[in-house]
Amino acid sequence: MRRAAWILLGGALLSVGHWASAGEEDDARLSGGATTVFVTNKHSFGKSAANLPVEDLRKFAFGNRIFNTNWVKAPASVTSFDGLGPIFNRVSCSGCHVRDGRGRPPKSAGGPWNSMLIRLSVRGAPGEAPGPHPIYGGQLQNRAVQGVAPEGRPVVSYAPFTRELPDGTRVELLKPTYEIKDLRDGPLGAGLLMSPRVAPAVHGLGLLEAVAAKDILRLADPEDKNKDGVSGRPNWLPGKASGAKVLGRLGWKANQPSLRQQAAGAANGDLGLTTSLFPTDHRTPAQRKRIETPNGGVPELSDEHLDKLVFYLQALGVPARRNVAAPGVLRGEALFTKVGCASCHTPTLHTLPDAKPPHLAGQTIHPYTDLLLHDMGDELADGRPDHQATGNEWRTPPLWGLGLQKVVSGHTRLLHDGRAHNTLEAILWHAGEAKQVTRRFEALPAKDRAALLAFLASL
Ligand code: HEC
Ligand code: HEC
């Protein structure tokens, strides 16, 4: 895989001079193929794909409205948007995915959790997989409708420590610790596993859903046969409809197979809305006895509205890269492959020729992910298995749009729990399978490290 990337890269370097006149397929700016949008302002993750047919724009706008709707407690006068809770995390999708961008940890210690959540489970008996918490379920809901108490209040604190690079450069990193206070139904008890996660940006996911499973599996190397220290495993999930295993692609541990299931799961877990996929809300049986509230219809989020919401996510364009031909950026791009970042952050993938909706079909895309799970070491581990993902494994996140995150989301926090404050910190947290790659990065002269970061900023 890495050799192929070199050849590609060689080609790209040779064609630098011709960029302006090059055909679309060699245009390095087109991260999302023909869906790519040329927008660099705070709305750059929220635009419809450049190649979306005009007749689909109304459907996109309607889906956008559902994504931004503030749901209310049932019964309400607007019956199609009632049924919130009774316990929930936010009242809208966009409450966490603000402007379709990424969430962040609270701004101050003890501050409210506005765009981040904690998944919960308890360790099983020896040999058994962990399951959801018997009282609090699989996710802590830190908000509730009027008259109902939230499940608890998550709190994060950070302990600073210093990393020294081989050339003496010192970087301060912050190690987070999580606690849940004001627990409504008593202590969480022994064997608790917690996984704090920020809301990822949501652009380009339709394209990732449209990549053939076999292309992703080809990148997997579970036994590390090529001995590059990097393995990569798929997260196989139980299929909801047929029972056959399906490939996980979405979420920080690839714990969701499709945008439809992801959106319905979010409606259920994060907003407390039922759908045809998840017909009961997320209260555990223990809570059901104690909290009774009227529902907002059966289901609360109709199939028609769920379809529109999914279409909206499929139709979001990917922002174009900037400064692709700047010498520092090109040098950084070469180093990205040379030190081995590209062995997980796969630069190029292709979507299926018959993908639906048609604007997603046959695209050459540059997401910088293999959609596979990697052991990232003990420091990043949450210790909480998620389907076939172990407590140490995370899915390689796509890097497209990285350089616009500050403009869109107003911050540069990175990684699954937002502990990194910038791309340099994010890289320094990489360990496990990425250990050798991180070492090579750390050993680069300062100028080369800066070039690699400049490349990341151009994405
Ligand atoms: C409380 C904050 C919150 C709310 C509200 C929320 N999300 Fe999310 N969203 C997350 C988090 C956290 C993840 C990652 C989940 C994981 O890794 O398990 C996520 C993941 C996603 C993903 C997959 C992203 C990726 O890169 O794989 C999509 C799509 C998504 N959410 C859509 C929605 C939709 C649609 C809604 C409204 C119905 C919604 N979200 C509401 C926090 C939120
Ligand atoms: C072994 C696979 C692997 C290698 C090699 C690797 N990464 Fe990553 N990268 C990941 C995974 C998995 C995450 C998510 C970890 C987490 O959130 O805890 C990640 C996260 C990131 C992030 C933060 C993304 C986000 O959305 O928060 C950046 C930036 C990044 N990597 C850049 C790099 C660079 C630059 C290199 C090379 C120096 C590199 N990575 C090498 C797997 C890898």
Side-chain angles (χ1 to χ4, degrees):
M1 183 177 74
R2 198 179 292 168
R3 201 171 58 205
W6 266 115
I7 293 163
L8 247 179
L9 187 77
L13 284 172
L14 286 175
S15 67
V16 168
H18 308 286
W19 237 311
S21 59
E24 279 209 339
E25 60 277 18
D26 338 333
D27 189 335
R29 297 172 304 171
L30 300 182
S31 302
T35 74
T36 307
V37 290
F38 285 80
V39 186
T40 53
N41 63 28
K42 65 179 180 192
H43 301 295
S44 36
F45 296 169
K47 296 291 177 192
S48 59
N51 63 344
L52 194 70
V54 208
E55 58 270 24
D56 282 341
L57 286 175
R58 267 177 79 98
K59 208 164 136 193
F60 176 81
F62 197 88
N64 185 12
R65 172 155 174 240
I66 299 171
F67 193 78
N68 284 285
T69 290
N70 291 337
W71 288 74
V72 294
K73 181 182 171 179
S77 52
V78 195
T79 56
S80 46
F81 296 119
D82 71 351
L84 175 71
I87 46 176
F88 59 92
N89 294 90
R90 286 300 280 192
V91 302
S92 68
C93 304
S94 62
C96 285
H97 303 278
V98 184
R99 284 187 290 277
D100 309 287
R102 179 196 304 250
R104 55 164 298 155
K107 285 189 179 147
S108 59
W113 283 43
N114 287 337
S115 49
M116 189 172 169
L117 54 83
I118 296 195
R119 298 211 180 286
L120 301 173
S121 43
V122 281
R123 234 172 245 124
E128 265 177 48
H133 193 278
I135 296 168
Y136 294 95
Q139 181 176 325
L140 185 87
Q141 278 85 20
N142 61 335
R143 289 183 172 82
V145 297
Q146 211 186 355
V148 174
E151 289 186 314
R153 185 169 59 87
V155 177
V156 56
S157 52
Y158 294 98
F161 67 97
T162 305
R163 268 285 272 288
E164 192 169 324
L165 308 189
D167 68 359
T169 305
R170 294 162 72 86
V171 184
E172 188 176 270
L173 299 175
L174 293 168
K175 184 168 170 56
T177 310
Y178 297 92
E179 249 184 301
I180 303 178
K181 298 198 164 155
D182 304 336
L183 282 158
R184 190 190 57 200
D185 299 314
L188 285 151
L192 180 76
L193 306 173
M194 286 201 279
S195 182
R197 303 181 188 186
V198 299
V202 292
H203 60 280
L205 299 174
L207 294 163
L208 296 183
E209 196 179 26
V211 174
K214 68 170 173 23
D215 289 359
I216 297 165
L217 299 175
R218 203 178 296 135
L219 300 170
D221 180 16
E223 274 96 51
D224 190 19
K225 291 215 173 84
N226 68 353
K227 300 267 179 286
D228 64 350
V230 174
S231 54
R233 294 195 314 131
N235 196 356
W236 289 110
L237 311 171
K240 245 185 120 42
S242 64
K245 296 244 180 255
V246 285
L247 180 65
R249 295 171 190 245
L250 304 173
W252 286 102
K253 285 192 187 251
N255 62 356
Q256 289 289 4
S258 66
L259 281 173
R260 195 175 171 80
Q261 198 170 310
Q262 170 74 58
N268 198 258
D270 307 347
L271 278 70
L273 303 174
T274 57
T275 50
S276 56
L277 263 73
F278 299 99
T280 47
D281 72 43
H282 52 235
R283 279 172 297 167
T284 54
Q287 291 173 326
R288 210 165 285 279
K289 281 193 220 129
R290 260 176 290 174
I291 317 170
E292 276 187 48
T293 49
N295 71 44
V298 182
E300 290 163 334
L301 177 64
S302 68
D303 275 348
E304 188 202 338
H305 286 176
L306 178 59
D307 288 346
K308 297 261 167 52
L309 190 58
V310 170
F311 181 79
Y312 171 70
L313 294 165
Q314 289 171 325
L316 285 169
V318 177
R321 284 184 59 198
R322 291 109 9 243
N323 306 323
V324 289
V329 169
L330 285 170
R331 182 156 176 69
E333 183 173 14
L335 288 163
F336 183 84
T337 304
K338 192 175 169 201
V339 301
C341 309
S343 45
C344 299
H345 295 281
T346 311
T348 303
L349 293 172
H350 303 277
T351 64
L352 286 161
D354 55 353
K356 297 267 174 341
H359 73 273
L360 299 173
Q363 300 298 332
T364 297
I365 58 173
H366 306 293
Y368 296 93
T369 173
D370 56 6
L371 295 177
L372 293 171
L373 299 170
H374 297 276
D375 181 334
M376 295 300 286
D378 294 340
E379 292 296 305
L380 274 180
D382 62 359
R384 177 182 179 273
D386 201 334
H387 297 283
Q388 294 187 357
T390 68
N392 273 39
E393 285 176 322
W394 299 99
R395 175 202 69 162
T396 312
L399 301 179
W400 50 17
L402 197 63
L404 290 163
Q405 181 186 322
K406 178 88 196 293
V407 182
V408 174
S409 304
H411 67 86
T412 54
R413 305 294 288 263
L414 291 168
L415 299 176
H416 67 272
D417 60 358
R419 67 177 69 184
H421 293 71
N422 50 49
T423 44
L424 173 64
E425 287 185 24
I427 298 166
L428 297 183
W429 276 108
H430 282 51
E433 289 173 37
K435 191 78 211 159
Q436 294 173 34
V437 174
T438 317
R439 283 222 182 96
R440 283 199 285 271
F441 169 81
E442 289 175 0
L444 291 174
K447 204 163 155 267
D448 284 350
R449 289 200 306 268
L452 203 151
L453 300 183
F455 163 67
L456 294 178
S458 79
L459 296 177

